[in-house]
Amino acid sequence: MSRAGRPAAALVAAAVTAAARGGLDWQPPGGAATWTRTNHRGEPVSLLEGPAVAVGVLAGALAGAGGLRATAATATAVLGAGAFGLVDDLREDPGTRAKGLRGHLGALARGHLTTGGLKVLGIGASALAAAALAPPGGGAATRPAARAVDTLASAALVAGTANLVNLLDLRPGRALKAVSLAAAPLVGTGGGVAACAVLGAASTAVEADLAETDMLGDSGANALGAALGAALVLGAPRPVRLAALAGVVGLTLVSERVSFTRVIERTPVLREIDAWGRRPAAPRAGVGATP
């Protein structure tokens, strides 16, 4: 992989994200109301950031020319995650009781396919295709059975990271900060093009996200997470990939019972990083208000 491909990936991802966001704002498909949601403050926020980021990451990965198989793997992961996330964003039934991974899998077990369940299946399938396309990583197994296990583990890492980043997208800037911090150490690895595409798209999207006019939604968060997972698959040695998978699975299971927001608010360092650049929280009734 040419070293010139990494800055190209970041620059193209940033530029395409900005251009796509501007074009979507000028003429949003289905009208602005289709893309408007209510954020944690009860204020309107646009989902248009999500598809713009997904397109930007995809363009960056393609422009980086990280090798045919690596590029195909990253593009497949991002396309699948972004597309199925978009379906969930736009077609989710607000009346459904299925929430979280456990809720959607439970609905599937009962024979009910929610948009979230479709997203789980779709991202899982695209992650498996991406893992099969990826070139062998460091420490890759040589026996067919062991290679199959490696491919399944890589697919789980891509899909799990896509889901985990979406779980973080509950406050402005949180998911973008998390993926940027995770992608930065991967820039110099075999997954550097994917990591730089993540960094480029995130750098463009973060201003509107922190201003609380835009949000990633499932489309943007899933696409960024899938690209980050692809960067790990392409650039990290096998022990690191397995450790990352264990961490992703552990955090996903914990999220079913523990609120990430509460943990962050109770941890000073995490709270400061999380709040950086964001509007201050509204004062609670009777606290800090001028009499």
Side-chain angles (χ1 to χ4, degrees):
M1 177 182 65
S2 169
R3 290 186 179 274
R6 295 166 187 164
L11 291 171
V12 169
V16 171
T17 298
R21 182 62 186 89
L24 288 169
D25 200 35
W26 173 62
Q27 195 169 9
T34 301
W35 302 89
T36 301
R37 299 293 184 272
T38 301
N39 69 4
H40 68 111
R41 297 181 193 266
E43 298 173 354
V45 61
S46 175
L47 281 172
L48 289 170
E49 175 187 338
V53 164
V55 170
V57 173
L58 178 61
L62 294 174
L68 181 59
R69 291 185 64 176
T71 300
T74 304
T76 300
V78 172
L79 270 174
F84 285 103
L86 185 60
V87 170
D88 198 27
D89 278 335
L90 299 181
R91 301 299 181 190
E92 181 183 16
D93 180 3
T96 183
R97 294 184 179 181
K99 298 294 181 183
L101 187 60
R102 183 173 59 178
H104 293 303
L105 292 177
L108 280 172
R110 295 190 298 272
H112 177 53
L113 180 62
T114 63
T115 55
L118 177 63
K119 183 180 72 170
V120 170
L121 294 175
I123 292 179
S126 60
L128 182 58
L133 287 167
T142 56
R143 295 181 179 179
R147 285 203 304 270
V149 171
D150 267 359
T151 298
L152 290 174
S154 294
L157 179 57
V158 172
T161 307
N163 180 65
L164 182 59
V165 173
N166 191 37
L167 293 176
L168 292 172
D169 189 35
L170 295 177
R171 291 294 184 272
R174 179 180 295 171
L176 291 169
K177 293 173 187 175
V179 295
S180 297
L181 289 171
L186 298 170
V187 168
T189 71
V193 167
C196 285
V198 167
L199 290 169
S203 68
T204 294
V206 70
E207 182 178 358
D209 204 284
L210 287 172
E212 303 186 29
T213 59
D214 279 7
M215 65 180 288
L216 284 168
D218 289 11
S219 178
N222 286 151
L224 283 170
L228 179 61
L232 282 164
V233 167
L234 294 169
R238 189 166 184 260
V240 174
R241 297 197 303 272
L242 293 176
L245 176 59
V248 167
V249 171
L251 287 172
T252 301
L253 293 175
V254 167
S255 73
E256 296 289 336
R257 295 186 176 275
V258 178
S259 166
F260 285 166
T261 295
R262 289 182 181 178
V263 171
I264 290 169
E265 288 175 347
R266 293 172 181 173
T267 308
V269 173
L270 294 179
R271 184 173 65 243
E272 291 300 317
I273 294 173
D274 191 51
W276 177 80
R278 189 191 303 161
R279 290 162 52 195
R284 298 176 184 176
V287 179
T290 303

